[in-house]
Amino acid sequence: MVRSVVIKEVPKKRLDIYRDRGWTVLDSSKGLYRIRRKLDKWQKFEARMRELFQDAGFEHAIDPYEFWYDDLGNQVDVCGGVGEHFIIMDCTTKNEEGFKSIREKIKDNHYKIRGLSRGVTSVFRGRYKYVHFVICSHDIDLDPDEVQEAKDHQILLIDSSVMAQWEHVVEVLGPAVRYQILEVLAGARIPIEGDGKKPLRYRALRILVSPASVSSEEPRYVYLFAIDPETLIKLAVVYRLKYMDPLGYQRDLKPGKLRLINEYLSDWSNFFPNSVLVAFDEDSARKIEWKREGAAASGAVESGTISLPRYYGVAEIIDGQHRLYGYIDFTKGKDFEKVLKDRRNADHLLVVAIPDPGGSERPGLYLAINSTQTKISTREIWSLMGDTRPNTKMGFISNVVRALNSKGVLKDEIEIPRITRGTRSINIANLGKGLSDRHLVDNQGEQFDWNLWKGPRLGGPYPEVPDTRIIENLDMFFRCVRDSYPDDWRNRKSFLRSNNGVNVTLRMLVEVLKYYHGKALTVDRVGRLLRPTIRAFVKEYGVEELLGDTSNEVGREATAREMMKRINKRYSGFAHGYLEQKRGRKRSR
């Protein structure tokens, strides 16, 4: 845990550097000066990253509170090595001393690459063959063009949350995570120590799950085998669901759950009867190999030997992360350290493995397993579907919502896991479900010919990229909602700019589309319907009451109906059929 106030000792030759930057001299002894300072936000950020490198067991990592390390020829914020690889990281925040834009940072770091690489070779006497450069930003929204520009200059540009995921995991796994961090930052893998680079071999079953077909030229297999937890922990990696991490989808490891598993495993009679599901990365040098035993099987199952690549972090845990990491003692007093160490080597976990070279299968598998068990939040499901199932209705709507969040009146107003940081008053699950429940983009059924879908209504797969007309019409509608009562929209606690308010106004959008069916949807037409009613209605009832009344489906439907009735008094054809159907129901106050 990074401290807010730091006291450290420095030699006299470095004293002026620290004193000029606000450190207070307390006393001196034998040529060393004790200095003190309350850390700024940017200093805490740098200290956090250096502490992470230390806790993860990077060699030659800098002391967390060394702020002007220049042994390599230029000042370096964070560095450390694993195997033949050395990482140099530049940390940047908006409030740091001498703040530079991201593009300036890229140019500055690119200029230093050659000198720092020579410095690493000289200081560590050729220990590291590869030097990798990273810029890690904090509280700065990264532009994809900047990420690409950095890549073009041999620099990895990342948001701090990519590293923050490891701050939590390192508490559980300790130095084992350095191999996973190295993979993320350098795209490099380290062979597991042992019998050279020979693969790990296990007796196994190979099961044919999908034969070769028109859609799949190769048959699909899964492998079933038993492996000791000690080895699987070295092979394993878990991706997290974090801001701007295109690979992340797993939830965080829960210390409380891990401690319960620790206690469960402390009794040797307890074991896990269910399997751990993993996906293996594969390339030309690291592939799963299969050797059949005996004659070819006549059925879908055959026995033999599976050979696994002997590298850290090649087996991604899809399901069962707590069962696996429960073999590491997570109790504060290390109450079960000995028994768990023994069990890591003596036990065998049942593993179902799938080869997945491109990583395309994993989010879908995770989603399929966890959504049916209600273990994954609906926001994560909605976010994942845009990537894993874009041709489904849910995946299509997910990408519609993402587009709304990228520009227009709802820009950066929607909470989308892996896209936006922190919480927003509108989230992808609520907005997505509202669009789905109201059939606003359904591509089948003539009964929905009034909606936003303009193509053939034949059903089937949706396009991977939503029609811009759908995005534009939705943006225009929400702009009219905003302009109906701007004071409410701008407030920190708003009704219109909330999950409840959006759900109510989407119900009204259905009737707006039906009212103008066959006519172009314009700002003038939509604004004419909404503006007087929405403003008067929200002012009459107040935000607090409206948010309370619309906390359930019944209240949302009743609130939307009452607003529609008021519009209907001015425009008699508006929502006529809907109001006739719902006649007799009133919104309670």
Side-chain angles (χ1 to χ4, degrees), residues 156-194:
L156 176 68
L157 174 59
I158 59 172
D159 181 82
S160 62
S161 59
V162 176
M163 299 302 297
Q165 61 180 315
W166 305 117
E167 289 183 286
H168 173 76
V169 180
V170 76
E171 296 178 13
V172 185
L173 304 182
V177 304
R178 63 179 174 268
Y179 304 108
Q180 300 181 20
I181 297 174
L182 183 69
E183 180 195 352
V184 171
L185 299 185
R189 291 222 173 91
I190 306 296
I192 296 173
E193 66 279 356

Side-chain angles (χ1 to χ4, degrees), residues 571-589:
Y571 301 94
S572 59
F574 181 80
H576 178 75
Y578 171 83
L579 294 173
E580 284 295 310
Q581 181 186 357
K582 304 292 183 179
R583 187 179 294 279
R585 300 182 188 176
K586 294 183 179 180
R587 178 183 181 277
S588 58
R589 291 194 61 172

Side-chain angles (χ1 to χ4, degrees), residues 275-291:
S275 60
V276 176
L277 178 62
V278 303
F280 275 86
D281 297 339
E282 289 191 310
D283 57 31
S284 58
R286 295 182 289 258
K287 291 180 73 70
I288 288 178
E289 295 181 358
W290 174 252
K291 185 177 181 181

Side-chain angles (χ1 to χ4, degrees), residues 41-96:
K41 186 177 179 180
W42 67 271
Q43 291 173 314
K44 288 182 181 179
F45 172 45
E46 288 185 11
R48 274 176 51 207
M49 295 299 101
R50 286 193 286 268
E51 189 174 78
L52 173 61
F53 270 47
Q54 276 201 342
D55 292 345
F58 277 73
E59 297 181 79
H60 303 115
I62 307 172
D63 180 285
Y65 303 103
E66 173 59 76
F67 293 101
W68 292 281
Y69 175 82
D70 57 8
D71 290 5
L72 304 178
N74 277 294
Q75 190 268 325
V76 169
D77 292 340
V78 183
C79 67
V82 180
E84 297 178 322
H85 300 267
F86 194 78
I87 305 294
I88 294 177
M89 179 183 291
D90 186 1
C91 297
T92 182
T93 65
K94 283 186 177 179
N95 62 353
E96 68 181 310

Side-chain angles (χ1 to χ4, degrees), residues 370-556:
N370 288 282
S371 62
T372 56
Q373 299 177 13
T374 62
K375 292 180 180 178
I376 181 173
S377 78
T378 54
R379 297 175 198 190
E380 295 179 23
I381 294 173
W382 274 96
S383 180
L384 281 168
M385 287 298 282
D387 290 327
T388 62
R389 299 290 186 272
N391 300 119
T392 64
K393 179 181 174 181
M394 190 175 182
F396 179 79
I397 293 175
S398 172
N399 288 325
V400 167
V401 174
R402 290 190 194 197
L404 289 171
N405 187 67
S406 66
K407 63 179 181 179
V409 71
L410 290 177
K411 182 178 180 179
D412 202 35
E413 294 286 354
I414 307 168
E415 182 182 340
I416 307 175
R418 296 184 300 122
I419 303 297
T420 53
R421 288 178 291 185
T423 58
R424 306 287 192 281
S425 54
I426 303 169
N427 70 63
I428 187 173
N430 281 274
L431 179 50
K433 188 173 185 300
L435 292 168
S436 178
D437 289 350
R438 308 277 79 80
H439 306 289
L440 284 161
V441 295
D442 284 25
N443 68 353
Q444 62 180 343
E446 291 302 321
Q447 71 270 33
F448 302 128
D449 64 351
W450 48 265
N451 74 4
L452 294 169
W453 182 264
K454 298 305 177 187
R457 298 181 179 276
L458 304 176
Y462 283 80
E464 292 193 8
V465 179
D467 189 331
T468 55
R469 290 175 297 179
I470 292 176
I471 312 302
E472 289 167 356
N473 280 325
L474 283 169
D475 179 60
M476 182 269 291
F477 173 75
F478 284 115
R479 199 170 349 119
C480 290
V481 172
R482 178 198 65 186
D483 294 344
S484 297
Y485 194 7
D487 288 349
D488 173 80
W489 189 275
R490 286 193 297 265
N491 273 345
R492 185 178 61 83
K493 195 164 189 178
S494 163
F495 171 67
L496 298 175
R497 189 175 45 79
S498 71
N499 284 317
N500 295 2
V502 164
N503 190 287
V504 168
T505 53
L506 284 178
R507 294 168 190 265
M508 297 171 68
L509 174 57
V510 171
E511 300 306 320
V512 169
L513 289 167
K514 290 179 179 179
Y515 185 71
Y516 287 125
H517 184 38
K519 300 178 181 178
L521 212 60
T522 65
V523 171
D524 288 341
R525 285 173 172 165
V526 176
R528 190 184 314 136
L529 290 175
L530 301 183
R531 192 173 296 114
T533 296
I534 286 181
R535 180 183 177 86
F537 192 88
V538 175
K539 290 186 75 172
E540 177 182 345
Y541 286 98
V543 172
E544 292 286 350
E545 183 175 345
L546 284 172
L547 289 173
D549 287 351
T550 57
S551 61
N552 55 60
E553 281 294 296
V554 174
R556 289 190 279 269

